[in-house]
Amino acid sequence: MSTRGETAELLAAQYLSNQGLKLLKRNYRCRHGEIDLILQDGDTLVFAEVRLRSHNHYGGAAASINAAKQKRLIRTAQHYLATLGYTPPCRFDALLFHNLDNGWPEWIRNAFTA
């Protein structure tokens, strides 16, 4: 991962922590893909995708979470849930940085559903 990408993930984790979420895991990987951040928001398990785009060519940060990426995230989340032995309420959030100079990300709760 690029240094800029790592910085974006660290900033996103810090931002969400400031919002009251508890970080459980960073960069969860399995054969299906990777989830940037897994957090606890009350009773809800949050799978967060962090995206950094310095320009809006091809739709920008939000558009980069296309149907194929969503499918990989859902499969990876299912793999993680299987390790827990139970299924809590879950959601998929997106944290979008348009560049690293603007401070905090745009936070989209329930960016897509499984």
Side-chain angles (χ1 to χ4, degrees):
M1 175 184 302
S2 74
T3 301
R4 288 172 42 83
E6 290 172 6
T7 300
E9 285 184 8
L10 289 171
L11 286 171
Q14 180 182 2
Y15 175 79
L16 292 173
S17 177
N18 291 345
Q19 302 303 312
L21 282 72
K22 178 183 175 190
L23 180 64
L24 302 176
K25 197 161 249 333
R26 278 190 65 211
N27 303 115
Y28 177 78
R29 291 178 179 91
C30 71
R31 61 190 167 105
H32 301 294
E34 176 185 351
I35 295 176
D36 295 327
L37 304 171
I38 301 175
L39 308 107
Q40 191 76 41
D41 185 10
D43 294 336
T44 302
L45 195 61
V46 178
F47 300 102
E49 178 68 8
V50 179
R51 301 306 263 186
L52 168 64
R53 293 292 183 265
S54 57
H55 53 75
N56 284 329
H57 302 325
Y58 310 109
S64 70
I65 307 173
N66 59 25
K69 178 65 176 177
Q70 290 176 27
K71 187 175 181 179
R72 286 192 303 275
L73 289 168
I74 291 166
R75 285 185 178 162
T76 305
Q78 289 170 333
H79 186 273
Y80 180 80
L81 290 170
T83 69
L84 296 180
Y86 70 101
T87 304
C90 301
R91 73 173 191 252
F92 292 90
D93 289 3
L95 288 105
L96 311 175
F97 289 92
H98 302 288
N99 63 56
L100 293 176
D101 299 327
N102 285 354
W104 299 118
E106 176 184 356
W107 179 17
I108 302 174
R109 290 178 182 92
N110 292 309
F112 62 92
T113 57

